């Protein structure tokens, strides 16, 4: 956390040897990323998706805010999962949509630009989690 009581968080994702880093959300304790990315799942590598949340610091080393791991073997293929994963040490919760696609003969396409937000679902999620927990 910065001197102003806020953070500039971003997330690093790692699956096997592949990595992805989100954009930085400036000056917030409740970041919302609307990013889509693809990582490739290979038979000869780990099926554990590692996540780490970081606080971007200008002129200093970035600070780790929390970590989590998701075992992709436990998730059904070709289905979008709404995952709420607690970060280690009670540092918050990360909420994400995750789809393992390309594993069957059909073609699966996901596109956040076409995602329609249900206002009732959003309200329910805010009432359920925001007042009690911080989502990263």
């Amino acid at each position: 956390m910065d001197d102003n009581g806020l953070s500039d968080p971003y997330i690093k994702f790692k699956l096997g040897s592949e990595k992805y880093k989100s954009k930085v959300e400036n000056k917030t304790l409740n970041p919302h990323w609307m990013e889509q990315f693809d990582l490739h799942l290979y038979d000869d590598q780990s099926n554990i998706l590692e996540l780490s949340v970081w606080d971007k610091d200008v002129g200093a080393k970035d600070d780790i805010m929390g970590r989590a791991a998701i075992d992709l073997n436990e998730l059904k293929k070709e289905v979008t999962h709404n995952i709420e994963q607690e970060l280690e040490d009670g540092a918050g919760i990360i909420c994400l949509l995750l789809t393992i696609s390309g594993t069957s003969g059909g073609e699966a396409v996901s596109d956040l630009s076409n995602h329609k937000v249900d206002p009732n679902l959003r309200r329910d999620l805010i009432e359920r989690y925001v007042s009690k927990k911080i989502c990263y």
Side-chain angles (χ1 to χ4, degrees), residues 9-13 20-25 33 35 37 52 54:
Y10 64 93
I11 304 176
K12 291 181 182 180
F13 296 87
Y20 176 81
K21 185 174 108 175
S22 75
K23 295 177 183 173
V24 175
E25 287 287 311
W33 295 276
E35 295 184 42
F37 62 93
S52 54
W54 295 82

Side-chain angles (χ1 to χ4, degrees), residues 36-117:
Q36 177 181 332
F37 62 93
D38 298 314
L39 296 174
H40 297 91
L41 186 60
Y42 298 104
D43 290 335
D44 63 343
Q45 73 179 18
S46 171
N47 289 338
I48 304 296
L49 178 62
E50 300 172 36
L51 304 95
S52 54
V53 181
W54 295 82
D55 179 17
K56 180 73 175 169
D57 289 328
V58 177
K61 187 176 177 182
D62 295 352
D63 301 315
I64 183 80
M65 297 175 70
R67 298 176 198 273
I70 299 171
D71 185 351
L72 301 180
N73 290 321
E74 296 179 8
L75 301 178
K76 189 173 179 182
K77 313 295 190 258
E78 306 301 335
V79 173
T80 299
H81 302 273
N82 187 358
I83 297 175
E84 297 174 12
Q85 179 71 43
E86 288 190 36
L87 299 173
E88 293 175 4
D89 302 324
I93 295 175
I94 183 140
C95 307
L96 59 112
L97 299 175
L98 192 146
T99 306
I100 301 173
S101 62
T103 59
S104 68
E107 185 173 336
V109 176
S110 60
D111 186 354
L112 287 178
S113 65
N114 291 326
H115 176 69
K116 302 290 187 246
V117 176

